């Protein structure tokens, strides 16, 4: 058989873009162009130096991706699929930027939009949507990640105020956030509070020496007798339903984002295999290399179509938490396998930051764990299938 023109986008194999509306394709391409100009030329250096380009927050706000799936208060009000496609392009550049946008929009902003008072929405959402303010989401603790019901952070009534004590761990944007959504035990169950930066007793500390998500800020939050007025409480949130609803929003972005990391890894491997010559021919012409590329393309296509299907369900307000777990579990698992396999196509060059697959693989180690570990999502699916909870 004669050679044919190679595909520049492995998703073209299944004509993925034909399943999108014109508006969805335009949003995706707009985000991709922004990242090509403002992030991709610098991301290897930022990853190596553990630097997050905070100055891009207002530009991301102007682009319209911060809280883009929310309505009102300066938010773009796009559909879920468009938000997912933006996450796909963001993570194709680097998981750190998708994490920033996810935490800002699906955790910080969504918690205020869904559970906050009108005054809280008016105070924070327009600034967060514009990137003029940065938010974070404090749920995970040093000893309690998969079991948030056991959190030790507490808020106790003191007259008309609340006294907040405790700590949170592995918090994206924590050290640069202007406002933290913090979840705490109260006598009425788990409640959420908005804690602005500078509140006495509220301090943060960066987590250093990370091998993953290096172009993202990860922090610890500390609360030492932090006094908050009752107006800081999210009035509509009571119990774990509040924070878990926010996590489902973030997980939805992840199941699209993982497709982006896998696609970028595979694009890199395809380009490299076409240019790398061994035994007097490009390595793309060898059967073992083609098997790797073909298998990864099938996995990538399946993950992309799963993400799109779940996006359509979400836009119809029909998506269930266990379906999001299916997407997060499958797509992150497939993405990390693709990134690792792409590294093997690159040989020794694959360990260099000149190429993206190993950077994506390192980042996906974090994505595999946060917003619910693979084990937890497996048990969510198992409970849906059997009706039996097996978390203990």
């Amino acid at each position: 058989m004669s050679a044919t023109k190679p595909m520049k986008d492995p998703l073209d194999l299944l004509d993925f873009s034909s399943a999108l509306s014109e508006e969805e394709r335009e949003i995706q391409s707009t985000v991709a162009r922004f990242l090509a100009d403002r992030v991709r030329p610098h991301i290897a250096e930022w990853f190596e130096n553990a630097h997050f380009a905070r100055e891009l927050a207002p530009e991301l706000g102007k682009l319209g991706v911060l809280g883009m799936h929310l309505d009102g208060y300066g938010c773009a009000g796009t559909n879920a699929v468009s938000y997912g496609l933006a996450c796909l392009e963001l993570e194709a550049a680097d998981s750190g930027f998708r994490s920033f946008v996810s935490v800002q929009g699906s955790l910080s902003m969504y918690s205020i939009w869904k559970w906050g008072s009108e005054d809280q929405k008016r105070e924070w959402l327009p600034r967060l949507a514009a990137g003029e303010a940065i938010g974070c989401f404090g749920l995970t603790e040093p000893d309690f990640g998969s079991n948030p019901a056991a959190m030790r952070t507490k808020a106790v009534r003191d007259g008309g105020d609340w006294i907040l004590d405790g700590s949170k761990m592995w918090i994206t944007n924590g050290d640069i956030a202007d406002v933290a959504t913090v979840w705490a035990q109260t006598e009425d169950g788990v409640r959420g509070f908005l804690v602005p930066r500078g509140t006495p007793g509220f301090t943060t500390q960066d987590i250093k020496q990370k091998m993953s998500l290096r172009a993202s800020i990860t922090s610890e939050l500390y609360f030492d007798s932090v006094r908050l007025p009752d107006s800081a409480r999210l009035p509509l949130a009571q119990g774990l339903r509040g924070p878990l609803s926010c996590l489902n929003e973030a997980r939805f972005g992840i199941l699209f984002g993982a497709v982006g990391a896998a696609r970028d890894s595979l694009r890199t491997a395809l380009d490299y295999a076409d240019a790398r010559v061994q035994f007097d021919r490009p390595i793309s012409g060898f059967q073992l290399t083609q098997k790797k590329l073909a298998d990864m393309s099938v996995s990538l296509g399946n993950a992309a179509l799963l993400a799109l299907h779940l996006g359509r369900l979400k836009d119809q307000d029909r998506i269930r938490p266990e379906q999001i777990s299916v997407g997060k579990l499958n797509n992150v698992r497939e993405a990390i396998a693709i990134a690792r396999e792409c590294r093997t196509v690159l040989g020794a060059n694959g360990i260099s930051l000149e190429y993206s697959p190993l950077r994506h693989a390192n980042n996906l180690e974090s994505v595999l764990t946060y917003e619910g570990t693979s084990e937890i999502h497996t048990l969510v699916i198992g409970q849906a299938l059997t009706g039996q909870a097996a978390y203990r």
Side-chain angles (χ1 to χ4, degrees):
M1 295 179 64
S2 61
T4 59
K5 185 178 180 181
M7 291 181 176
K8 293 186 178 296
D9 186 346
L11 287 179
D12 288 345
L13 185 65
L14 296 179
D15 199 14
F16 176 79
S17 65
S18 69
L20 307 177
S21 70
E22 183 177 350
E23 181 180 5
E24 289 163 350
R25 287 194 293 270
E26 179 58 31
I27 289 172
Q28 182 178 11
S29 63
T30 298
V31 175
R33 287 193 300 268
F34 170 84
L35 294 165
D37 180 50
R38 301 292 289 123
V39 174
R40 287 185 177 275
H42 314 289
I43 190 58
E45 179 183 357
W46 291 342
F47 184 91
E48 184 172 27
N49 296 329
H51 171 73
F52 174 71
R54 180 180 181 174
E55 66 275 10
L56 292 183
E59 296 185 42
L60 290 166
K62 186 176 181 180
L63 188 65
V65 298
L66 302 180
M68 63 185 286
H69 58 308
L70 306 179
D71 293 316
Y73 308 97
C75 301
T78 66
N79 67 355
V81 169
S82 294
Y83 170 57
L85 293 169
C87 288
L88 186 155
E89 294 300 335
L90 286 158
E91 194 138 4
D94 190 79
S95 298
F97 280 86
R98 200 270 309 141
S99 290
F100 173 79
V101 169
S102 286
V103 169
Q104 182 88 342
S106 292
L107 294 180
S108 173
M109 293 176 67
Y110 183 80
S111 66
I112 300 170
W113 184 85
K114 178 72 173 178
W115 305 111
S117 68
E118 189 61 31
D119 286 344
Q120 290 168 338
K121 295 175 186 179
R122 289 176 178 171
E123 178 181 5
W124 288 110
L125 290 180
R127 295 166 57 197
L128 291 165
E132 296 170 359
I134 292 175
C136 70
F137 186 85
L139 179 63
T140 299
E141 297 188 355
D143 295 320
F144 297 100
S146 297
N147 183 22
M151 70 176 71
R152 291 176 180 152
T153 298
K154 293 184 178 181
V156 178
R157 280 279 196 180
D158 185 34
D161 294 340
W162 295 85
I163 305 299
L164 181 67
D165 285 284
S167 63
K168 301 293 180 179
M169 186 79 167
W170 305 114
I171 308 303
T172 299
N173 301 345
D175 198 49
I176 60 172
D178 298 286
V179 62
T181 298
V182 180
W183 301 93
Q185 297 279 11
T186 75
E187 61 181 9
D188 298 322
V190 173
R191 307 299 294 255
F193 298 86
L194 299 182
V195 186
R197 173 166 297 282
T199 302
F202 173 35
T203 57
T204 63
Q205 179 175 304
D206 272 359
I207 296 173
K208 304 290 188 181
Q209 298 180 319
K210 296 186 300 178
M211 297 179 68
S212 179
L213 287 179
R214 292 181 56 78
S216 173
I217 291 175
T218 312
S219 310
E220 297 179 71
L221 312 182
Y222 302 98
F223 309 96
D224 183 9
S225 298
V226 174
R227 181 174 291 275
L228 299 169
D230 191 52
S231 60
R233 177 175 53 87
L234 295 174
L236 302 181
Q238 184 171 3
L240 283 175
R241 179 168 172 259
L244 293 182
S245 69
C246 302
L247 291 179
N248 274 331
E249 291 294 309
R251 290 163 179 163
F252 175 79
I254 287 172
L255 66 90
F256 268 90
V259 174
R263 187 201 66 189
D264 188 70
S265 297
L266 187 49
R267 273 183 174 177
T268 301
L270 285 165
D271 289 343
Y272 183 88
D274 190 50
R276 178 68 168 176
V277 174
Q278 290 291 292
F279 302 104
D280 303 319
R281 64 187 298 190
I283 64 172
S284 60
F286 290 101
Q287 291 183 4
L288 288 177
T289 302
Q290 288 197 3
K291 182 183 187 307
K292 291 181 180 181
L293 298 174
D295 286 346
M296 290 188 289
S297 294
V298 171
S299 295
L300 174 64
N302 289 339
L305 292 175
L306 173 58
L308 180 59
H309 172 65
L310 294 175
R312 298 298 184 212
L313 289 179
K314 194 173 193 306
D315 278 324
Q316 297 166 18
D317 199 26
R318 294 172 51 208
I319 199 165
R320 302 192 304 271
E322 63 268 23
Q323 293 171 328
I324 294 177
S325 287
V326 170
K328 204 268 187 181
L329 176 66
N330 180 80
N331 288 8
V332 178
R333 184 166 60 191
E334 293 304 310
I336 198 168
I338 288 171
R340 290 167 176 166
E341 186 79 302
C342 286
R343 205 289 305 162
T344 71
V345 174
L346 273 62
N349 285 323
I351 71 167
S352 167
L353 278 174
E354 182 180 353
Y355 302 96
S356 67
L358 190 57
R359 172 169 56 82
H360 285 307
N362 281 2
N363 285 336
L364 287 165
E365 290 288 351
S366 293
V367 180
L368 194 69
T369 296
Y370 68 28
E371 316 296 1
T373 64
S374 295
E375 291 83 359
I376 289 296
H377 288 295
T378 298
L379 297 181
V380 169
I381 297 166
Q383 183 175 359
L385 292 172
T386 67
Q388 302 291 326
Y391 297 98
R392 292 181 173 83

Coordinates of all heavy atoms in Angstrom, one line a residue, residues 118-190:
E118 N -27.2 36.1 47.8 CA -27.2 37.0 46.7 C -26.1 38.0 46.9 O -25.3 38.4 46.0 CB -28.5 37.7 46.6 CG -28.6 38.6 45.3 CD -28.5 37.8 44.0 OE1 -28.9 36.6 44.0 OE2 -28.0 38.4 43.1
D119 N -25.9 38.5 48.2 CA -24.8 39.4 48.5 C -23.4 38.8 48.2 O -22.5 39.4 47.7 CB -24.8 39.9 50.0 CG -26.0 40.8 50.2 OD1 -26.5 41.4 49.2 OD2 -26.3 41.0 51.4
Q120 N -23.2 37.5 48.6 CA -22.0 36.8 48.3 C -21.7 36.7 46.8 O -20.6 36.9 46.3 CB -22.0 35.4 49.0 CG -21.9 35.5 50.5 CD -22.2 34.1 51.1 OE1 -22.9 33.3 50.5 NE2 -21.8 34.0 52.4
K121 N -22.8 36.4 46.1 CA -22.6 36.2 44.6 C -22.2 37.6 44.0 O -21.3 37.6 43.1 CB -23.9 35.7 44.0 CG -24.3 34.3 44.4 CD -25.7 34.0 43.9 CE -26.2 32.6 44.4 NZ -27.5 32.3 43.9
R122 N -22.9 38.6 44.4 CA -22.6 39.9 43.8 C -21.2 40.4 44.2 O -20.5 41.1 43.4 CB -23.6 40.9 44.3 CG -25.0 40.7 43.6 CD -26.0 41.7 44.2 NE -27.3 41.5 43.5 CZ -28.4 42.1 43.9 NH1 -28.4 43.0 44.9 NH2 -29.5 41.9 43.3
E123 N -20.7 40.1 45.4 CA -19.4 40.5 45.9 C -18.3 39.8 45.1 O -17.3 40.4 44.7 CB -19.3 40.3 47.4 CG -17.9 40.7 47.9 CD -17.7 40.5 49.4 OE1 -18.7 39.9 50.0 OE2 -16.7 40.8 49.9
W124 N -18.4 38.5 44.9 CA -17.3 37.7 44.5 C -17.4 37.2 43.0 O -16.3 37.2 42.3 CB -17.1 36.5 45.4 CG -16.6 36.8 46.7 CD1 -17.3 36.7 47.9 CD2 -15.3 37.3 47.0 NE1 -16.5 37.2 49.0 CE2 -15.2 37.5 48.4 CE3 -14.2 37.5 46.3 CZ2 -14.1 37.9 49.1 CZ3 -13.0 38.0 46.9 CH2 -13.0 38.2 48.3
L125 N -18.5 36.8 42.5 CA -18.6 36.2 41.2 C -18.1 37.0 40.1 O -17.3 36.6 39.2 CB -20.0 35.6 41.0 CG -20.4 34.4 41.8 CD1 -21.8 34.0 41.5 CD2 -19.4 33.3 41.7
P126 N -18.5 38.3 40.0 CA -17.9 39.1 38.8 C -16.4 39.2 38.9 O -15.8 39.2 37.8 CB -18.6 40.5 39.0 CG -19.9 40.1 39.8 CD -19.5 39.0 40.7
R127 N -15.9 39.4 40.0 CA -14.4 39.5 40.2 C -13.7 38.2 39.8 O -12.6 38.2 39.2 CB -14.0 40.0 41.6 CG -14.5 41.4 41.9 CD -14.5 41.7 43.4 NE -13.1 41.6 43.9 CZ -12.8 41.4 45.2 NH1 -13.8 41.4 46.1 NH2 -11.5 41.3 45.5
L128 N -14.3 37.1 40.3 CA -13.7 35.8 40.0 C -13.8 35.5 38.5 O -12.9 34.9 37.9 CB -14.3 34.7 40.9 CG -14.1 34.8 42.4 CD1 -15.0 33.9 43.1 CD2 -12.6 34.4 42.7
A129 N -14.9 35.8 37.9 CA -15.1 35.6 36.5 C -14.1 36.4 35.6 O -13.7 35.9 34.6 CB -16.5 35.9 36.1
A130 N -13.8 37.6 36.1 CA -12.9 38.4 35.3 C -11.4 38.1 35.6 O -10.5 38.6 35.0 CB -13.1 39.9 35.7
G131 N -11.1 37.2 36.6 CA -9.8 36.9 37.0 C -9.1 38.0 37.8 O -7.9 38.0 38.0
E132 N -10.0 39.0 38.3 CA -9.4 40.0 39.1 C -9.2 39.5 40.5 O -8.4 40.1 41.3 CB -10.4 41.2 39.1 CG -10.6 41.9 37.8 CD -11.7 42.8 37.8 OE1 -12.4 43.0 38.8 OE2 -12.0 43.5 36.7
A133 N -10.0 38.5 40.9 CA -9.8 37.8 42.2 C -9.6 36.3 41.9 O -10.0 35.8 40.9 CB -11.0 38.0 43.1
I134 N -8.9 35.6 42.8 CA -8.7 34.2 42.7 C -9.3 33.5 43.9 O -9.2 34.0 45.0 CB -7.1 33.9 42.6 CG1 -6.6 34.5 41.2 CG2 -6.8 32.4 42.7 CD1 -5.1 34.4 41.1
G135 N -9.9 32.3 43.6 CA -10.5 31.5 44.7 C -9.8 30.2 44.8 O -9.2 29.7 43.9
C136 N -10.1 29.6 46.0 CA -9.7 28.2 46.2 C -10.8 27.5 47.0 O -11.8 28.1 47.4 CB -8.3 28.1 47.0 SG -8.3 28.7 48.7
F137 N -10.6 26.2 47.2 CA -11.7 25.4 47.8 C -11.0 24.4 48.8 O -10.2 23.6 48.5 CB -12.3 24.5 46.6 CG -13.5 23.7 47.0 CD1 -14.7 24.3 47.0 CD2 -13.3 22.4 47.3 CE1 -15.9 23.5 47.2 CE2 -14.4 21.6 47.6 CZ -15.7 22.2 47.5
G138 N -11.4 24.7 50.1 CA -10.7 23.9 51.2 C -11.6 22.8 51.7 O -12.5 23.0 52.6
L139 N -11.4 21.6 51.2 CA -12.1 20.4 51.7 C -11.1 19.4 52.3 O -11.3 18.9 53.4 CB -13.0 19.8 50.6 CG -13.8 18.5 51.0 CD1 -14.8 18.8 52.1 CD2 -14.5 17.9 49.8
T140 N -10.2 19.0 51.5 CA -9.2 17.9 51.9 C -8.4 18.4 53.1 O -7.9 19.5 53.1 CB -8.3 17.6 50.7 OG1 -9.1 17.1 49.6 CG2 -7.3 16.5 51.1
E141 N -8.1 17.4 54.0 CA -7.3 17.7 55.2 C -6.1 16.8 55.2 O -6.1 15.8 54.4 CB -8.1 17.5 56.4 CG -9.3 18.5 56.5 CD -10.0 18.6 57.8 OE1 -9.7 17.7 58.7 OE2 -10.9 19.4 58.0
P142 N -5.1 17.0 56.0 CA -3.9 16.2 56.0 C -4.2 14.7 56.3 O -3.6 13.8 55.7 CB -3.1 16.8 57.2 CG -3.5 18.2 57.2 CD -4.9 18.2 56.9
D143 N -5.3 14.4 57.1 CA -5.6 13.0 57.4 C -6.9 12.5 56.8 O -7.2 11.4 57.0 CB -5.7 12.9 59.0 CG -4.4 13.1 59.7 OD1 -3.3 12.7 59.1 OD2 -4.4 13.8 60.7
F144 N -7.6 13.4 56.1 CA -8.9 13.0 55.5 C -9.0 13.6 54.1 O -9.3 14.8 53.9 CB -10.0 13.5 56.4 CG -10.0 12.9 57.8 CD1 -9.4 13.6 58.9 CD2 -10.4 11.6 58.0 CE1 -9.4 13.0 60.1 CE2 -10.3 11.0 59.3 CZ -9.8 11.7 60.3
G145 N -8.9 12.7 53.1 CA -9.1 13.0 51.7 C -10.3 12.3 51.2 O -11.3 12.9 50.9
S146 N -10.3 11.0 51.1 CA -11.4 10.2 50.6 C -12.6 10.1 51.6 O -13.6 9.8 51.2 CB -10.9 8.8 50.3 OG -9.9 8.8 49.2
N147 N -12.3 10.5 52.8 CA -13.4 10.5 53.8 C -13.6 11.8 54.4 O -13.3 12.1 55.6 CB -13.0 9.5 54.9 CG -14.1 9.3 56.0 OD1 -15.2 9.6 55.7 ND2 -13.7 8.8 57.2
P148 N -14.2 12.8 53.6 CA -14.4 14.1 54.1 C -15.3 14.2 55.3 O -15.3 15.2 56.1 CB -14.9 14.9 52.9 CG -15.6 13.8 52.1 CD -14.7 12.6 52.3
A149 N -16.2 13.2 55.5 CA -17.1 13.3 56.6 C -16.4 13.3 58.0 O -17.0 13.7 59.0 CB -18.1 12.1 56.6
A150 N -15.2 12.8 58.0 CA -14.4 12.8 59.2 C -13.5 14.0 59.4 O -12.7 14.1 60.3 CB -13.5 11.5 59.3
M151 N -13.7 15.1 58.6 CA -12.9 16.3 58.7 C -12.8 16.8 60.2 O -13.8 16.7 60.9 CB -13.4 17.4 57.8 CG -14.7 18.0 58.2 SD -15.2 19.4 57.1 CE -15.6 18.5 55.6
R152 N -11.7 17.4 60.5 CA -11.5 17.9 61.9 C -11.6 19.4 62.0 O -11.7 20.0 63.1 CB -10.1 17.5 62.4 CG -10.0 16.0 62.6 CD -8.6 15.6 63.1 NE -8.5 14.2 63.3 CZ -7.4 13.4 63.2 NH1 -6.3 14.0 62.8 NH2 -7.4 12.2 63.4
T153 N -11.6 20.1 60.8 CA -11.8 21.5 60.9 C -13.2 21.8 61.4 O -14.2 21.2 60.9 CB -11.7 22.1 59.5 OG1 -10.3 21.9 59.0 CG2 -11.9 23.6 59.4
K154 N -13.3 22.7 62.4 CA -14.6 23.0 63.0 C -14.9 24.5 63.0 O -14.0 25.3 63.1 CB -14.5 22.5 64.5 CG -14.4 21.0 64.6 CD -14.5 20.5 66.0 CE -14.5 19.0 66.1 NZ -14.6 18.5 67.5
A155 N -16.2 24.8 63.0 CA -16.7 26.1 63.2 C -17.7 26.1 64.3 O -18.6 25.4 64.3 CB -17.3 26.6 61.9
V156 N -17.4 27.0 65.3 CA -18.3 27.0 66.5 C -18.9 28.4 66.6 O -18.2 29.4 66.4 CB -17.4 26.7 67.8 CG1 -18.3 26.8 69.0 CG2 -16.8 25.3 67.6
R157 N -20.2 28.4 67.0 CA -20.9 29.7 67.2 C -20.3 30.5 68.3 O -20.0 29.9 69.4 CB -22.3 29.4 67.4 CG -23.2 29.2 66.2 CD -23.5 30.5 65.5 NE -24.6 30.3 64.5 CZ -25.1 31.3 63.8 NH1 -24.6 32.5 63.9 NH2 -26.1 31.0 62.9
D158 N -20.2 31.8 68.2 CA -19.8 32.6 69.3 C -20.6 33.9 69.1 O -20.2 34.9 68.4 CB -18.3 32.9 69.2 CG -17.8 33.8 70.4 OD1 -18.3 33.6 71.5 OD2 -16.9 34.6 70.2
G159 N -21.7 33.9 69.8 CA -22.6 35.1 69.6 C -23.2 35.0 68.1 O -23.7 34.0 67.6
G160 N -23.0 36.2 67.4 CA -23.4 36.2 66.0 C -22.4 35.8 65.1 O -22.6 35.8 63.8
D161 N -21.2 35.4 65.6 CA -20.1 35.1 64.7 C -19.8 33.6 64.8 O -20.4 32.8 65.5 CB -18.8 35.8 65.2 CG -18.9 37.3 65.0 OD1 -19.7 37.8 64.2 OD2 -18.1 38.0 65.7
W162 N -18.8 33.2 64.0 CA -18.3 31.8 64.0 C -16.8 31.8 64.3 O -16.1 32.8 63.8 CB -18.5 31.1 62.6 CG -20.0 30.9 62.3 CD1 -20.8 31.8 61.7 CD2 -20.7 29.7 62.5 NE1 -22.0 31.2 61.5 CE2 -22.0 30.0 62.0 CE3 -20.4 28.5 63.1 CZ2 -23.0 29.0 62.0 CZ3 -21.5 27.5 63.1 CH2 -22.7 27.8 62.6
I163 N -16.3 30.9 65.0 CA -14.9 30.7 65.2 C -14.4 29.5 64.5 O -14.9 28.3 64.8 CB -14.5 30.6 66.7 CG1 -15.1 31.8 67.5 CG2 -13.0 30.5 66.9 CD1 -14.5 33.2 67.0
L164 N -13.5 29.6 63.5 CA -13.0 28.6 62.6 C -11.7 28.1 63.0 O -10.7 28.9 63.1 CB -13.1 29.1 61.2 CG -12.6 28.1 60.1 CD1 -13.7 27.0 59.9 CD2 -12.5 28.8 58.8
D165 N -11.5 26.8 63.3 CA -10.2 26.2 63.6 C -9.9 25.0 62.8 O -10.9 24.2 62.6 CB -10.1 25.9 65.1 CG -9.9 27.1 66.0 OD1 -8.8 27.6 66.0 OD2 -10.9 27.5 66.6
G166 N -8.7 24.8 62.3 CA -8.4 23.6 61.6 C -7.4 23.8 60.5 O -6.7 24.9 60.4
S167 N -7.2 22.9 59.6 CA -6.3 23.0 58.5 C -6.8 22.2 57.3 O -7.6 21.3 57.4 CB -4.9 22.5 58.9 OG -4.9 21.1 59.2
K168 N -6.3 22.6 56.1 CA -6.6 22.0 54.8 C -5.3 21.7 54.1 O -4.4 22.4 54.2 CB -7.6 22.8 54.0 CG -8.9 23.1 54.7 CD -9.8 21.9 54.9 CE -11.1 22.2 55.6 NZ -12.0 21.0 55.8
M169 N -5.3 20.7 53.2 CA -4.1 20.2 52.6 C -4.4 20.0 51.1 O -5.5 19.7 50.7 CB -3.7 18.9 53.2 CG -2.3 18.3 52.8 SD -1.0 19.2 53.5 CE 0.4 18.1 53.1
W170 N -3.3 20.2 50.3 CA -3.4 19.9 48.9 C -4.4 20.8 48.2 O -5.2 20.4 47.3 CB -3.7 18.5 48.5 CG -2.8 17.5 49.2 CD1 -3.1 16.6 50.1 CD2 -1.4 17.3 48.9 NE1 -2.0 15.8 50.5 CE2 -0.9 16.3 49.7 CE3 -0.5 18.0 48.0 CZ2 0.4 15.9 49.7 CZ3 0.9 17.6 48.0 CH2 1.3 16.5 48.9
I171 N -4.3 22.1 48.5 CA -5.3 23.1 48.0 C -4.7 23.9 46.8 O -3.8 24.7 47.0 CB -5.8 24.0 49.1 CG1 -6.2 23.2 50.4 CG2 -6.9 24.9 48.6 CD1 -7.3 22.2 50.1
T172 N -5.3 23.6 45.6 CA -4.9 24.4 44.5 C -5.2 25.8 44.6 O -6.3 26.2 45.0 CB -5.5 23.8 43.2 OG1 -5.1 22.4 43.0 CG2 -5.1 24.6 41.9
N173 N -4.3 26.7 44.2 CA -4.5 28.2 44.3 C -4.4 28.7 45.7 O -4.6 29.9 45.9 CB -5.8 28.6 43.6 CG -5.9 28.3 42.2 OD1 -5.0 27.9 41.6 ND2 -7.2 28.3 41.7
G174 N -4.2 27.9 46.7 CA -4.3 28.3 48.1 C -3.5 29.6 48.5 O -4.0 30.5 49.1
D175 N -2.3 29.6 48.1 CA -1.4 30.7 48.5 C -1.6 32.0 47.8 O -1.2 33.0 48.2 CB 0.1 30.3 48.3 CG 1.0 31.1 49.1 OD1 0.7 31.3 50.3 OD2 2.0 31.6 48.6
I176 N -2.4 31.9 46.7 CA -2.7 33.2 45.9 C -4.1 33.5 45.9 O -4.5 34.5 45.3 CB -2.2 33.0 44.4 CG1 -2.9 31.9 43.7 CG2 -0.7 32.9 44.4 CD1 -2.6 31.8 42.2
A177 N -4.9 32.8 46.6 CA -6.4 33.0 46.6 C -6.8 34.2 47.4 O -6.3 34.5 48.5 CB -7.1 31.8 47.1
D178 N -7.7 35.0 46.8 CA -8.3 36.1 47.5 C -9.4 35.7 48.4 O -9.8 36.4 49.4 CB -8.8 37.2 46.5 CG -7.6 37.7 45.7 OD1 -6.8 38.5 46.2 OD2 -7.6 37.3 44.5
V179 N -10.0 34.6 48.1 CA -11.1 34.0 49.0 C -11.0 32.5 48.9 O -10.8 31.9 47.9 CB -12.5 34.6 48.5 CG1 -12.8 34.1 47.1 CG2 -13.6 34.1 49.5
A180 N -11.2 31.9 50.1 CA -11.3 30.5 50.2 C -12.6 30.0 50.6 O -13.2 30.5 51.6 CB -10.2 30.0 51.2
T181 N -13.2 29.0 49.9 CA -14.4 28.3 50.3 C -13.9 27.2 51.2 O -13.2 26.3 50.8 CB -15.2 27.8 49.1 OG1 -15.6 28.8 48.3 CG2 -16.4 27.0 49.7
V182 N -14.3 27.3 52.5 CA -13.8 26.3 53.5 C -15.0 25.6 54.1 O -15.9 26.2 54.5 CB -13.0 27.1 54.6 CG1 -12.5 26.1 55.7 CG2 -11.9 27.9 54.0
W183 N -14.8 24.3 54.1 CA -15.8 23.4 54.7 C -15.4 22.9 56.1 O -14.3 22.5 56.3 CB -16.1 22.2 53.8 CG -16.5 22.7 52.4 CD1 -15.7 22.9 51.3 CD2 -17.8 23.0 52.0 NE1 -16.5 23.4 50.3 CE2 -17.8 23.5 50.7 CE3 -19.1 23.0 52.7 CZ2 -18.9 23.9 50.0 CZ3 -20.2 23.4 52.0 CH2 -20.1 23.9 50.6
A184 N -16.4 23.0 57.0 CA -16.0 22.7 58.4 C -17.2 22.0 59.1 O -18.4 22.2 58.7 CB -15.7 24.0 59.2
Q185 N -16.9 21.3 60.1 CA -17.9 20.6 61.0 C -18.5 21.7 61.9 O -17.8 22.5 62.5 CB -17.3 19.5 61.8 CG -16.7 18.4 61.1 CD -17.7 17.3 60.7 OE1 -18.9 17.6 60.7 NE2 -17.3 16.2 60.2
T186 N -19.8 21.6 62.0 CA -20.6 22.5 63.0 C -21.5 21.6 63.7 O -21.7 20.4 63.4 CB -21.3 23.6 62.3 OG1 -22.5 23.1 61.6 CG2 -20.5 24.3 61.2
E187 N -22.2 22.2 64.7 CA -23.2 21.4 65.4 C -24.4 21.0 64.6 O -25.1 20.1 64.9 CB -23.7 22.2 66.6 CG -24.4 23.5 66.3 CD -24.8 24.2 67.5 OE1 -24.5 23.9 68.6 OE2 -25.5 25.2 67.4
D188 N -24.5 21.6 63.4 CA -25.6 21.3 62.5 C -25.1 20.5 61.3 O -25.8 20.5 60.3 CB -26.3 22.6 62.0 CG -26.9 23.4 63.1 OD1 -27.5 22.8 64.0 OD2 -26.8 24.6 63.1
G189 N -23.9 20.0 61.4 CA -23.3 19.3 60.2 C -22.3 20.1 59.5 O -21.9 21.2 59.9
V190 N -21.9 19.6 58.3 CA -20.8 20.3 57.6 C -21.4 21.6 56.9 O -22.5 21.5 56.3 CB -20.3 19.4 56.5 CG1 -19.3 20.1 55.5 CG2 -19.5 18.2 57.1

